[in-house]
Amino acid sequence: MAESNVTTAKPKKKPAAKPQPAKTAKPESRPAKTAKPESRLAMVRRARRINRELAEVYPYAHPELDFRNPFELLVATVLSAQTTDLRVNQTTPALFAKYPTPEDLAGANPEEVEELIRPTGFFRAKTKSIMGLAAALRDDFGGEVPGRLDDLVKLPGVGRKTAFVVLGNAFGVPGITVDTHFMRLARRWKWTESDDPVKIEAEIAAIFPKSDWTMLSHRVIFHGRRICHARKPACGACPITHLCPSYGEGETDPEKAKKLLKYEKGGYPGQRLNPPPDYPGRPAPPLGAEA
C-alpha cells in the first residue's frame, strides 16, 4: 500500500488555566449597632458637668434686667413677656422715674402708663397687669413685694417663671426659671422630653441641688441667648459640644459659627444699660441711641 503524503495535524495544547484566587466566604450581614441608651445616672452626671463647665464660661452670669429693688424687678419681668430684656431695660428708666413705688403706679393714669411702656409691645395688657399688681401690693402687702411663691403667683400677670426670677434675684430664694431658652436647651441636652414648663421645672429640680437652681437658670439662659440659638445654633463655637447629644443641629464650621455669636460673645453690647461690674461686654445703649 502506497504511503500517504497527507500529514495529520497534531491537536493544539490548551493554555494552562491561570490560578484563580481562593474564594472567601462573604461575611454575614449584621444589623448596625445602635447607641446604648443613656442611663439616668449618666444623664445626671453629664447634666451636672454641663453646669460646671457653663460656670467657667459665664462666671459673670446674672439677671439681664436692670433693677434696683424687688418692685422694679417684678415690673420689669412682667414687661419682658414677648420682648427682649434689652427693650425692657430701655423702657423702664422713664417708667420708674415717674412711678417709683407701687402706690405711685397703682394711682397712675392708664393712658400715660401705656405710652411709657409702648416699646415693649402688648402695652395695653401689660399696663393692666402692672397697675393691677401695684394695686395688690398697695392693698394686700403694705406696698412691699412678698418673698413667697404662693403670694407672688396671686398677683396679676405673675406666673411661676416671673415669681422665681423675683425670688431668686431679689430675695435669694432658689428657683428654676423655665423660659423659652431654658426649655429649648433642656430638651437639646436630653435633660427632659417634656414641653410643659411645670413638668420641666420639676424634672430639672430633681437633677440639681437646690443651691444651684438660680445660677443654673442664668447660665443656661445666657448660653441659649449667646450660642445655642433657636433657629441656628453656633455648634462650631460652642465650648460644651463634647457634652451635647444634639451637636450638629446648627452650624459646625468654626468660622461660620463664630459669626453667629451674640452679645459679648460676638463683641456686641449686652442687654443691660447698667450691667454688673464683672460683665465683660459693653453696656446696652439707651432707647433711641445707636449701639
Side-chain angles (χ1 to χ4, degrees):
M1 185 172 178
E3 185 177 353
S4 173
N5 292 327
V6 178
T7 58
T8 304
K10 294 180 180 180
K12 293 182 179 180
K13 293 182 179 180
K14 292 182 179 180
K18 294 181 180 179
Q20 297 294 322
K23 291 184 178 180
T24 55
K26 292 183 179 180
E28 295 181 6
S29 58
R30 296 180 180 177
K33 290 184 178 180
T34 55
K36 186 178 180 181
E38 186 178 40
S39 68
R40 165 75 181 179
L41 178 60
M43 183 275 288
V44 170
R45 286 175 173 170
R46 180 172 57 82
R48 293 183 177 185
R49 187 174 172 190
I50 286 175
N51 183 38
R52 291 195 300 272
E53 296 201 12
L54 288 181
E56 295 179 3
V57 177
Y58 306 107
Y60 49 86
H62 58 271
E64 294 192 89
L65 289 168
D66 285 327
F67 68 97
R68 295 170 296 185
N69 54 58
F71 172 64
E72 290 189 356
L73 178 58
L74 177 60
V75 171
T77 306
V78 172
L79 294 179
S80 69
Q82 305 299 315
T83 191
T84 63
D85 287 358
L86 169 60
R87 184 49 57 94
V88 174
N89 292 335
Q90 292 173 326
T91 303
T92 51
L95 177 69
F96 294 139
K98 191 164 187 178
Y99 310 111
T101 68
E103 292 81 2
D104 295 324
L105 184 56
N109 181 326
E111 292 182 356
E112 293 180 0
V113 176
E114 287 178 3
E115 195 58 34
L116 284 171
I117 68 169
R118 182 183 290 268
T120 68
F122 303 97
F123 56 91
R124 290 191 178 90
K126 289 180 179 179
T127 293
K128 186 176 180 180
S129 291
I130 63 175
M131 290 189 66
L133 70 85
L137 293 177
R138 177 196 62 193
D139 299 340
D140 302 331
F141 297 98
E144 299 292 332
V145 176
R148 291 186 345 115
L149 176 65
D150 291 346
D151 292 331
L152 284 169
V153 295
K154 292 177 184 176
L155 299 173
V158 178
R160 291 179 68 87
K161 183 191 80 171
T162 295
F164 281 129
V165 170
V166 174
L167 289 172
N169 299 288
F171 294 99
V173 177
I176 296 172
T177 304
V178 184
D179 71 351
T180 55
H181 302 287
F182 196 100
M183 289 178 65
R184 179 176 72 253
L185 270 61
R187 289 173 60 84
R188 279 181 179 164
W189 291 335
K190 311 301 182 188
W191 292 357
T192 180
E193 293 182 355
S194 177
D195 55 7
D196 180 279
V198 176
K199 290 182 180 178
I200 292 174
E201 177 195 322
E203 289 181 32
I204 305 305
I207 296 173
F208 297 92
K210 191 172 184 179
S211 57
D212 287 352
W213 290 354
T214 299
M215 287 308 301
L216 170 72
S217 300
H218 291 324
R219 293 165 190 152
V220 173
I221 293 170
F222 256 58
H223 194 65
R225 285 175 171 168
R226 286 150 178 78
I227 296 177
C228 197
H229 311 134
R231 294 182 182 177
K232 200 168 185 180
C235 293
C238 178
I240 58 167
T241 54
H242 55 294
L243 297 170
C244 181
S246 299
Y247 173 76
E249 284 189 10
E251 180 58 67
T252 57
D253 180 85
E255 291 303 316
K256 292 180 180 179
K258 190 175 180 181
K259 295 177 182 178
L260 300 173
L261 301 179
K262 296 182 179 179
Y263 304 112
E264 77 281 358
K265 291 297 180 182
Y268 303 111
Q271 298 202 81
R272 293 187 67 167
L273 278 65
N274 298 295
D278 61 344
Y279 179 64
R282 290 181 286 153
L287 192 64
E290 292 185 5

